[in-house]
Amino acid sequence: MQSYGYKEGLLDGLPIGLGYLSVSFGFAIWAINQGLPGFILVLMSGSNLTSAGQVAGVTVMAAGGLFMELALTEAIINLRYALMSVTLTQKLSPTFSLWQRMLAAFFVTDEIFAVSSTRKGLLTFPYMMGLGCLPWIGWTLGTALGAFAGSLLPAAVCAALGIAIYGMFTSLIVPAAMEEKGVLLAVAAAIGLGLILRYVPVFSFLSEGFVIIISAVGGACVAAWLIPAPKEAQA
Amino acid sequence: MRLYLYLLIMAGVTYLIRMLPLAFFRKKIESPFVLSVLHYLPYAVLGTMTVPAVFTSAGSVLSSVVGFAVALVLGLRKRSLIEVALFAAAGAYVTSLILPLF
């Protein structure tokens, strides 16, 4: 069986890194507008390396949410990484030691998972390190540029860039929703529940973090109950 | 201080969720319902985070709506993550330039 090394990983990671650079630039500009300091955002990107989790985290932090609320929000939103990690265990080269697994786990993101899990053959530790390198640099550097140099841009450009992160989310949702009715239903149900929880006054005691958790789990459950996911997707 | 605690919690939870299964998972989840919920969950999360927040994300509501529409159209055409993100911002930006002319 074929395996790949650090250099192949680095090359595979280049387009991901470039994509992350511009998206995290938009993320930082958005997050600065929510009132968080720039160095906190850079630390966040460097230590979290995740888009949806950081947007939710900034939302909870800006609202002065509870620690428990933040932990629960991150756990729910990032649950997909647990599935990806489980999937990756089936492809790891036997030479992977425990500490290497623990290190490689830090770099599990949607895009890195997509690239590594579709690579033919077994995944080696050097390949995974190479693959994670440029996306991490791109994500952290883009955040720093957005946070500290974003103010050099005209206000209208900064305002427009605030939508970039939602554009990225949209690009993840729409193709999947076109292919699977279940995904479409899950998204629609989650949005519907979220609108009720956000705008019906009875629920106004719920903070944004809890709204995300309840509406997402509710929407996913409704879809799972009515339209079980296709067998090949249940991995 | 509170901000650093937030960061610690975020990074800790996010890392553990990635690390524990990769380092220690040995068997398979069997329940089709649980597997389906887990399969749908990421999309549900992204959906409820995007709507309605996207409509106030690019300054004015109108430029946000235009940016979001651009994102939806490009998403339907399965364009890459980065294209969708940047063209959504470009759509919002152009709208904010044209808007004052009316």
Side-chain angles (χ1 to χ4, degrees):
Chain A
M1 235 193 235
Q2 223 178 339
S3 60
Y4 305 91
Y6 188 82
K7 210 178 79 188
E8 287 81 6
L10 216 52
L11 283 174
D12 281 0
L14 180 62
I16 303 178
L18 287 175
Y20 282 5
L21 184 79
S22 39
V23 171
S24 64
F25 189 88
F27 160 76
I29 285 174
W30 170 83
I32 290 275
N33 287 334
Q34 313 298 308
L36 289 188
F39 68 98
I40 287 284
L41 297 173
V42 177
L43 284 177
M44 183 189 290
S45 284
S47 62
N48 282 261
L49 191 64
T50 180
S51 58
Q54 289 184 203
V55 171
V58 167
T59 311
V60 173
M61 286 164 78
L66 306 170
F67 291 134
M68 192 57 225
E69 178 186 358
L70 181 69
L72 206 57
T73 307
E74 295 303 321
I76 300 267
I77 288 178
N78 292 326
L79 203 57
R80 66 187 190 284
Y81 294 142
L83 289 175
M84 295 175 192
S85 288
V86 168
T87 311
L88 285 178
T89 57
Q90 314 299 312
K91 274 183 71 82
L92 295 185
S93 139
T95 58
F96 255 90
S97 65
L98 182 64
W99 72 266
Q100 288 177 330
R101 285 175 180 239
M102 293 172 87
L103 202 56
F106 178 77
F107 298 102
V108 176
T109 69
D110 297 334
E111 291 75 21
I112 289 173
F113 168 76
V115 169
S116 54
S117 62
T118 50
R119 259 285 197 190
K120 286 200 170 57
L122 293 176
L123 299 169
T124 63
F125 180 66
Y127 174 78
M128 291 306 285
M129 289 299 99
L131 183 60
C133 182
L134 295 176
W136 184 82
I137 291 174
W139 186 251
T140 309
L141 184 66
T143 305
L145 289 174
F148 299 116
S151 55
L152 302 178
L153 292 175
V157 176
C158 276
L161 278 170
I163 205 173
I165 193 87
Y166 297 107
M168 176 181 169
F169 292 169
T170 306
S171 79
L172 293 172
I173 297 170
V174 173
M178 280 192 325
E179 266 164 38
E180 286 181 47
K181 281 205 180 83
V183 171
L184 185 61
L185 177 61
V187 171
I191 289 175
L193 266 172
L195 291 177
I196 293 171
L197 296 178
R198 286 180 180 101
Y199 295 117
V200 175
V202 191
F203 299 112
S204 59
F205 67 94
L206 284 175
S207 60
E208 180 64 15
F210 282 113
V211 169
I212 293 173
I213 295 167
I214 298 168
S215 55
V217 173
C221 284
V222 168
W225 177 49
L226 294 174
I227 310 174
K231 270 279 177 297
E232 66 274 13
Q234 298 180 359
Chain B
M1 199 58 231
R2 197 175 166 83
L3 285 180
Y4 290 102
L5 276 171
Y6 276 131
L7 273 190
L8 203 66
I9 292 169
M10 272 182 79
V13 172
T14 305
Y15 176 65
L16 286 178
I17 279 188
R18 286 165 163 153
M19 188 275 283
L20 292 176
L22 193 63
F24 302 111
F25 193 81
R26 293 289 179 260
K27 55 174 191 180
K28 280 198 104 151
I29 304 168
E30 301 289 349
S31 157
F33 179 76
V34 174
L35 287 171
S36 297
V37 171
L38 294 178
H39 174 65
Y40 291 138
L41 200 53
Y43 302 106
V45 168
L46 293 172
T48 193
M49 287 201 342
T50 302
V51 178
V54 65
F55 296 112
T56 49
S57 65
S60 76
V61 174
L62 198 65
S63 44
S64 303
V65 167
V66 172
F68 188 38
V70 170
L72 284 173
V73 170
L74 293 180
L76 283 168
R77 296 185 176 187
K78 303 193 179 182
R79 305 308 283 267
S80 72
L81 172 163
I82 180 66
E83 278 178 285
V84 178
L86 289 182
F87 278 107
Y93 178 66
V94 170
T95 309
S96 73
L97 291 186
I98 297 174
L99 209 55
L101 303 178
F102 292 98

